[in-house]
Amino acid sequence: MNCYGRRLRRTGPEQLNSRNDLVSSPQRSRVNGWSLPLHTFQFVALLFYTYLAIVGFGIYIPLLPHGWKYAAYAVIGVLFAHHLVAHLVAITIDPADQNVLAKKNYSSPMPVFDRGKHKHVIQNQHCYLCEVDV
């Protein structure tokens, strides 16, 4: 398509004979956010959260006027505690569907998806990796 002298980018279906027809699977299935190996973003998020706590509670709040300090400590403290609890709950929960949980074996390696057999992992509400309806 040509629009004002520029060609628009179009997306199309993936080529079935591409170099990544078979995707190598990880050796172990991850249960939740605590499963090893941890992702790099988990370390970055923890460092960033710690940095914000140190800067907020150690530098910014002490610079406030005396009457505002206790309110700021209470409000920011409750927000930080709420975020920490919500974050810990989110990474502890196994996000798998109940049908997948019934059949899932965490000690075995993840199955390899063959794009030659199926175009997508999930088609018509059926997962071809787990062999369950989702």
Side-chain angles (χ1 to χ4, degrees):
M1 177 186 237
N2 192 349
C3 184
Y4 302 110
R6 288 189 268 167
R7 291 183 47 85
L8 297 178
R9 294 183 193 164
R10 290 187 169 208
T11 59
E14 294 181 14
Q15 299 294 329
L16 290 180
N17 294 328
S18 64
R19 63 180 174 89
N20 55 355
D21 285 344
L22 291 175
V23 178
S24 63
S25 63
Q27 292 300 319
R28 297 210 173 194
S29 180
R30 292 190 59 138
V31 178
N32 54 29
W34 298 110
S35 300
L36 297 177
L38 295 178
H39 196 275
T40 308
F41 287 156
Q42 289 174 290
F43 294 115
V44 171
L46 180 61
L47 288 173
F48 186 65
Y49 188 81
T50 305
Y51 170 77
L52 288 178
I54 290 170
V55 169
F57 290 109
I59 297 173
Y60 290 139
I61 292 178
L63 292 175
L64 290 174
H66 182 70
W68 289 83
K69 283 184 186 180
Y70 299 113
Y73 276 123
V75 171
I76 301 298
V78 167
L79 290 175
F80 263 82
H82 180 274
H83 177 269
L84 182 64
V85 169
H87 181 79
L88 292 176
V89 167
I91 64 173
T92 303
I93 293 175
D94 187 355
D97 187 65
Q98 291 299 324
N99 295 333
V100 175
L101 288 174
K103 289 187 169 185
K104 197 165 187 180
N105 182 7
Y106 289 111
S107 61
S108 65
M110 294 212 24
V112 176
F113 180 69
D114 185 8
R115 289 192 188 272
K117 293 180 183 176
H118 304 285
K119 189 174 181 179
H120 300 287
V121 175
I122 298 176
Q123 284 181 325
N124 298 327
Q125 302 298 318
H126 183 77
C127 177
Y128 289 105
L129 286 177
C130 307
E131 296 299 331
V132 296
D133 291 327
V134 291

